[in-house]
Amino acid sequence: MYWSKLYAPTLKESPSDADIKSAELLIRGGFIRKSASGVFSYLPLGTRVLQKITQIVREEMNIAGAQELLMPIMQPAEIWKTTGRWDDYGPEMMKFRDRNDREFTLGPTHEEMITTLVKDELRSYKQLPVNLYQINTKYRDEIRPRFGLLRGREFIMKDAYSFHTSPESLDQTYKDMYNAYSRICDRMNMKYVAVEADTGTIGGSNSHEFTAFAESGESDILVCEKCGYSATQEKAECSDDQKSADEPLKTLTLVETPNVRTVDELAKFLKIEKDKIVKSMVFTGKNGYVMALIRGDLEINIPKLKSYLGDQTLRFATAEEVFEKFSSQIGYIGPIGVKAVRIVSDNSVKNLKNYVVGGLKNEYHYINVNHERDYKINEYTDIRIVVDGDKCPKCGSPLKLKKGIEVGQVFKLGTKYSEKLSATYVDSDGSEKYYVMGCYGWGVSRTMAAVVEQFHDEKGIIWPKAIAPFEVVVTIVNTAMQDQVRVGHEIHEMLEKHEIEVLLDDRDVSAGFKFKDADLIGIPLRITCGKSLENGDIELKLRNSDKSSKIKIEDRDSVLRSVKTLLENYKL
RNA sequence: CGGGGCGUAGCGCAGAGGUAGCGCACCUGUCUUGGGCACAGGGGGUCGCUGGUUCAACUCCAGUCGCCCCGACCA
């Protein structure tokens, strides 16, 4: 490919709305252009990268036994109404009507579509298991699109759905997909971790997220470097660091605490540590109010509480709701004297003694509180947010909090969707049974940005070889020098003949311009045809190294060998 | 959805009640070519849109659309 013919408009300056390094470099490098908030075009370079990622994903899916198909992006509302997600999925769904006023969505995902598609014809246990996938554009009307390709409203995703007769069969496919995802990451040299994840609104029993480490990432994950335990913040557990005092129970006392509402204020006012306070938070959900208790120095993890209560609709009660129910302001809520409200306590409260809680009366708190004696806690569970330094639930070493970008997620769905969509097969005993399902998503366009987040320097992108738009760029330093031009073309032709993807920079611009561009778009190997040709040498330089080596041009075999060796050993 | 900011040339930005500017990019020519050359000449704008105030609006006012930031939220 000749650079002079390539449509790759590079920019010297950073676009004003680029809010993250990958977006800046992909735009500057001429890979993508924004067309609306969270919507991008892929230019030729971006398309090449995308195709390479796609191909890797496709190959690994096929190896894992999945079959590719293609479903419509435009989906009828009806199937979404059947599962209830037309409303539950909420305003994130892109919805529209056709000329006959029929409702449609631009699909954010395809569980309804695939289940509806297969249920009439996947009738017998003999046909199962089946794993089907597509690589397709998805739409989500994000509240706030940002970070370039990382949080777009239109993005490309690989989604696979598997159908089984048993949880054991699902386990096998889940494992296969998990392994395929690991290989996808490995092939791109991505630094990643597979973490235990919450299943959220998609439901199901079991899930792992594949997260690429990146400071700019939006996922918080906790990792134990000792034993390998890792989980998302929504899901992470830690071993109890229960603070139990071996002290006699003191007398419960109601004390006046004027204008003191928060744990911080209370600790200061009473001159005590925050871990001698128990916070009471009021939530409301489909089964009414719930009071959650946790030690004052910790925070409640709402996804964990949702998951424990089996209620995804759970939310904080408003100040008005709390006042109406408890006749007390939020800052003075406490468990003593509360009636007919479910109380759920974090494990951290279990062994506390003589602590402080809200007085359930404005401007008052109780001190020297002891559960069992002063009120009852019926349910203990883990609802705390795990933070950096908490102890690993498996081995007790300190956990590290890291940031990452979620590139893939695997779910065991069970029969949630098959039940709602009446999707059944006939089992060997002749009875109708619901499919046991799994689903497996991989963010293809997001991967492109995640890789750039991991691999770049101040000069530009440093692509891993597996997804670089070209493997080699041949730079003709001075197009006025016949030798340089001739040798450049010869090398270009030779490499193309050997199926190495090579870009020939034959543009009549200054040398510096060409070097800067080559670094910006991040081609792994640069071959420079310049001054050293006077001695019969060309120069080979890897993008991730400052060193270049010279090699005699006459010996074409050795040039080819060197290029191949350098590329093979190219590691980031 | 709450709070805030910005829309002026392809990109990045300045300016200002009296007929629109800079850098980069683009075109022509000369020159140059080892890290985004140099010089000379040139083209390009209904100042986001709609309405209002005014002799006069790109500038002031109102509305609207778009974009961005913080927060809430997030298979």
Side-chain angles (χ1 to χ4, degrees):
Chain A
M1 180 78 203
Y2 299 106
W3 200 322
S4 59
K5 306 270 188 263
L6 178 69
Y7 182 63
T10 56
L11 265 31
K12 192 150 58 172
E13 285 180 287
S14 171
S16 64
D17 56 3
D19 50 1
I20 192 171
K21 208 69 194 169
S22 58
E24 178 197 329
L25 292 175
L26 288 169
I27 293 170
R28 280 189 54 210
F31 291 82
I32 59 172
R33 284 291 182 269
K34 188 162 82 172
S35 90
S37 183
V39 183
F40 291 85
S41 293
Y42 297 89
L43 308 186
L45 284 178
T47 303
R48 288 181 76 104
V49 174
L50 215 44
Q51 282 169 345
K52 293 206 170 180
I53 296 170
T54 301
Q55 191 52 30
I56 289 172
V57 171
R58 181 173 282 131
E59 284 168 15
E60 294 302 335
M61 285 300 105
N62 293 344
I63 289 169
Q67 300 172 58
E68 187 167 10
L69 50 60
L70 193 57
M71 290 183 279
I73 290 166
M74 177 175 157
Q75 302 183 24
E78 194 189 356
I79 57 177
W80 285 81
K81 289 183 175 168
T82 308
T83 57
R85 290 209 295 178
W86 183 258
D87 296 317
D88 287 354
Y89 215 98
E92 268 206 15
M93 267 172 90
M94 293 275 194
K95 297 171 180 172
F96 68 98
R97 290 167 188 273
D98 70 6
R99 64 167 72 199
N100 293 314
D101 218 33
R102 287 182 287 246
E103 290 183 294
F104 288 89
T105 179
L106 296 179
T109 178
H110 279 74
E111 283 84 8
E112 280 81 358
M113 196 76 219
I114 187 102
T115 308
T116 308
L117 176 69
V118 303
K119 71 173 193 177
D120 292 337
E121 285 151 316
L122 203 52
R123 299 298 305 138
S124 162
Y125 74 98
K126 292 176 193 166
Q127 296 169 286
L128 298 172
V130 168
N131 189 3
L132 301 166
Y133 76 99
Q134 65 172 345
I135 295 170
N136 210 343
T137 305
K138 305 275 191 217
Y139 293 84
R140 278 179 210 173
D141 198 356
E142 292 285 347
I143 294 173
R144 179 137 91 94
R146 59 180 138 175
F147 302 146
L149 298 182
L150 290 179
R151 183 169 289 275
R153 294 192 293 174
E154 178 182 280
F155 54 97
I156 300 167
M157 179 164 154
K158 184 283 305 174
D159 48 324
Y161 306 87
S162 66
F163 301 86
H164 308 266
T165 56
S166 69
E168 293 70 31
S169 169
L170 171 59
D171 285 346
Q172 184 56 50
T173 297
Y174 187 88
K175 211 174 288 170
D176 291 343
M177 296 303 269
Y178 183 104
N179 292 335
Y181 279 15
S182 303
R183 282 194 302 272
I184 292 168
C185 291
D186 290 339
R187 287 178 65 175
M188 297 187 292
N189 282 334
M190 197 182 270
K191 291 172 247 170
Y192 73 100
V193 63
V195 301
E196 289 180 22
D198 185 58
T199 51
T201 54
I202 203 162
S205 59
N206 212 331
S207 177
H208 284 83
E209 268 180 32
F210 283 71
T211 302
F213 291 117
E215 275 311 304
S216 53
E218 294 182 276
S219 300
D220 289 323
I221 51 179
L222 288 132
V223 179
C224 175
E225 289 176 341
K226 184 116 175 263
C227 76
Y229 170 82
S230 53
T232 60
Q233 182 135 61
E234 290 79 43
K235 178 86 177 178
E237 298 169 15
C238 66
S239 68
D240 292 334
D241 61 336
Q242 290 182 359
K243 310 201 173 178
S244 52
D246 196 14
E247 53 187 75
L249 304 191
K250 298 185 193 162
T251 312
L252 180 71
T253 312
L254 190 63
V255 298
E256 195 169 0
T257 50
N259 228 0
V260 174
R261 291 185 181 79
T262 67
V263 168
D264 283 339
E265 289 165 0
L266 193 58
K268 205 174 278 178
F269 183 83
L270 295 173
K271 299 191 172 58
I272 54 170
E273 293 300 316
K274 287 199 275 186
D275 60 18
K276 293 294 281 183
I277 298 169
V278 167
K279 280 197 275 200
S280 314
M281 320 283 276
V282 179
F283 293 85
T284 179
K286 60 186 179 191
N287 298 318
Y289 290 103
V290 174
M291 181 179 285
L293 305 182
I294 193 164
R295 209 174 64 209
D297 59 324
L298 304 174
E299 296 297 328
I300 289 184
N301 186 328
I302 298 172
K304 274 190 193 172
L305 185 60
K306 282 181 177 175
S307 163
Y308 173 75
L309 295 171
D311 182 0
Q312 288 295 326
T313 68
L314 200 75
R315 60 167 175 83
F316 275 118
T318 63
E320 292 74 33
E321 288 168 341
V322 170
F323 191 80
E324 196 180 315
K325 178 76 185 171
F326 298 96
S327 311
S328 161
Q329 287 173 16
I330 279 182
Y332 301 99
I333 288 294
I336 299 178
V338 165
K339 291 192 190 76
V341 170
R342 186 169 176 185
I343 295 178
V344 177
S345 171
D346 184 65
N347 293 327
S348 58
V349 176
K350 199 180 287 179
N351 294 334
L352 291 181
K353 285 182 183 152
N354 300 321
Y355 52 86
V356 177
V357 301
L360 208 62
K361 178 180 175 188
N362 284 351
E363 319 271 289
Y364 283 91
H365 282 82
Y366 283 108
I367 63 169
N368 298 330
V369 176
N370 292 284
H371 43 277
E372 297 313 305
R373 187 189 70 183
D374 303 325
Y375 68 101
K376 285 266 181 291
I377 298 175
N378 294 321
E379 302 176 69
Y380 287 103
T381 184
D382 170 19
I383 49 171
R384 71 190 274 183
I385 288 183
V386 177
V387 297
D388 193 86
D390 278 346
K391 291 195 175 62
C392 171
K394 295 257 166 70
C395 77
S397 314
L399 291 168
K400 280 224 156 108
L401 179 65
K402 298 198 173 196
K403 298 266 179 196
I405 298 162
E406 182 193 340
V407 287
Q409 188 162 9
V410 290
F411 288 94
K412 290 182 188 174
L413 293 176
T415 53
K416 174 175 171 173
Y417 292 91
S418 48
E419 283 179 28
K420 283 192 170 149
L421 292 160
S422 311
T424 60
Y425 64 95
V426 179
D427 207 351
S428 53
D429 62 5
S431 66
E432 295 247 335
K433 287 188 178 152
Y434 294 115
Y435 303 126
V436 176
M437 293 172 58
C439 77
Y440 320 90
W442 184 275
V444 172
S445 46
R446 171 181 276 196
T447 298
M448 182 163 150
V451 167
V452 176
E453 287 298 321
Q454 287 193 350
F455 304 116
H456 68 265
D457 61 14
E458 63 290 344
K459 295 176 187 159
I461 301 170
I462 306 174
W463 289 112
K465 189 185 51 175
I467 61 169
F470 293 92
E471 296 170 275
V472 178
V473 55
V474 176
T475 303
I476 297 169
V477 173
N478 185 346
T479 51
M481 303 291 279
Q482 289 308 308
D483 269 7
Q484 294 184 19
V485 174
R486 180 180 48 79
V487 170
H489 278 81
E490 285 170 10
I491 303 276
H492 174 250
E493 197 180 329
M494 174 181 78
L495 295 181
E496 276 200 334
K497 208 169 278 172
H498 287 86
E499 296 186 333
I500 292 169
E501 293 180 301
V502 54
L503 181 62
L504 177 66
D505 197 347
D506 57 338
R507 296 175 298 171
D508 185 19
V509 294
S510 73
F513 194 95
K514 284 180 272 206
F515 291 143
K516 292 279 190 198
D517 259 359
D519 287 343
L520 177 61
I521 70 168
I523 309 298
L525 177 63
R526 188 180 81 206
I527 300 179
T528 307
C529 301
K531 275 191 184 132
S532 52
L533 265 184
E534 290 165 15
N535 304 317
D537 292 328
I538 53 171
E539 291 153 65
L540 306 180
K541 182 187 164 300
L542 292 172
R543 176 62 180 86
N544 66 347
S545 157
D546 288 331
K547 282 181 272 199
S548 71
S549 56
K550 291 187 172 132
I551 184 163
K552 291 286 172 214
I553 188 64
E554 290 92 62
D555 188 352
R556 291 304 158 91
D557 286 344
S558 112
V559 171
L560 185 62
R561 242 179 296 129
S562 294
V563 167
K564 284 189 169 168
T565 308
L566 281 170
L567 286 176
E568 264 161 37
N569 298 329
Y570 188 65
K571 285 278 179 316
L572 295 163

